[in-house]
Each structure stands twice: as structure tokens, then as C-alpha cells.
Amino acid sequence: MAYQIIEYPIEKQAFYHLLKEQLILYTKDAVNSVSALANASAILHAAFSGINWVGFYLVRDGRLALGPFQGKPAVMEIAYGQGVCGGAWSAKKTQVVKDVHCFTGHIACDLTSVSEIVVPVFGPDNEVLGVIDIDSPLPGRFDEEDAEGLRIAAEIIARYM
Ligand code: SME
């Protein structure tokens, strides 16, 4: 099951199709959720160009708890409604942030981060189980096409949250 890196340049729709296949391939035989999310964070990290942090926060005891990720050490707990992650949770809506310096309450884990996307992961009753969080040192790195592609990724990893 040799890992196939996603070659750039690639059109976004094709990119998210390949990403979906890889996420399923590298999580489907998971023996536990931590292993699945660890592999999923590695897949996302290897796939995206121009990012400096990617990972998951899981809803635990009424707060977002840091899960598997790739990047510099990060804040371990986020309250409901706090920061971009807490905002995605409370609004139940993807947050596409073109410039984090303009986002009131942004929590800076890596000072090189300039743009960010946070996608809520939903359970069977439309409850938020956690979020996918990706940071980039590039301004405006993410758009609505990324939001849609990552919404599908969130559906694949929901069972591990
Ligand atoms: N920036 C996030 C916090 C997590 S770090 O990016 C890993 C926020 O504002 O919620």
C-alpha cells in the first residue's frame, strides 16, 4: 500500500477526488480512532501545498481538545465560540479566513500563519464532533472550493471522532 504523493499542478476538483480516495484507503482498516486520525493528518499534510499546520480538534467534555496534527505545538483546549475553531463549532459552519490578523479572537499557535480554514465535522444528529483546522503562511490560501472539498473529507473522518 505504497503512498502515492499528489503531484502539482493539479486542478482542485481532481485534487479533492484523490484526497478522498487516500483518506479512505489509509483509514478504513483502522484499529482505533487515534490511528485513523493520525494517518488522516499525515495525508492532509502531504497533500496540501503552502500550509504550516493541519490537524483535528475533538469535542470532549464541552471543549475542543487537540487531536492528531502535523506542525508546531498548538493550544490543547479551545472553548465553545473561541477563536476560529470555536467559532466554526458554535456557528456549525466552515470558517474561511483570508487574513487571521483581521479575525477578532484568532488564537495564534504558529506566528507564521496568515490564513486559515476550519471545517466542522458532523455526527449523525448534526451535532459537531470536532473540526479540521488548516493554517497557511500565505494570505488567502483557501476558498469555497476548499471548503466544499474539506466538507467531504470531514464526512470520511467523522466516524473516528
Ligand atoms: N488558530 C486556531 C487555533 C488552533 S491553531 O491554529 C493550531 C483558532 O483560532 O481557533
Side-chain angles (χ1 to χ4, degrees):
M1 193 166 64
Y3 173 70
Q4 289 289 318
I5 198 129
I6 297 179
E7 302 288 349
Y8 282 77
I10 184 169
E11 195 259 326
K12 269 197 184 172
Q13 207 170 10
F15 169 82
Y16 280 107
H17 177 71
L18 280 176
L19 184 67
K20 178 184 173 187
E21 287 185 346
Q22 290 186 347
L23 285 170
I24 292 169
L25 181 62
Y26 287 94
T27 59
K28 65 180 174 51
D29 303 326
V31 288
N32 66 64
S33 57
V34 174
S35 306
L37 293 176
N39 251 359
S41 71
I43 293 283
L44 293 169
H45 186 254
F48 280 90
S49 65
I51 66 166
N52 57 308
W53 198 95
V54 56
F56 310 106
Y57 282 88
L58 296 84
V59 173
R60 293 289 183 273
D61 308 322
R63 299 171 74 78
L64 285 172
L66 181 63
F69 70 94
Q70 313 276 326
K72 291 183 183 160
V75 64
M76 288 192 281
E77 278 209 330
I78 299 173
Y80 183 80
Q82 190 192 15
V84 185
C85 295
W89 178 17
S90 57
K92 288 188 157 186
K93 196 170 173 300
T94 293
Q95 310 286 311
V96 177
V97 182
K98 302 287 181 191
D99 183 348
V100 294
H101 306 100
C102 305
F103 188 98
T104 308
H106 169 255
I107 304 165
C109 296
D110 181 336
L111 293 179
T112 65
S113 299
V114 175
S115 60
E116 183 163 3
I117 187 167
V118 179
V119 180
V121 178
F122 293 104
D125 305 321
N126 202 37
E127 77 278 21
V128 175
L129 302 172
V131 298
I132 303 173
D133 180 18
I134 312 180
D135 290 13
S136 169
L138 309 171
R141 165 69 179 79
F142 308 104
D143 59 23
E144 287 315 309
E145 230 183 322
D146 296 304
E148 177 51 24
L150 288 166
R151 185 188 61 73
I152 294 164
E155 286 175 1
I156 294 165
I157 58 163
R159 73 181 66 186
Y160 307 113
M161 284 203 165

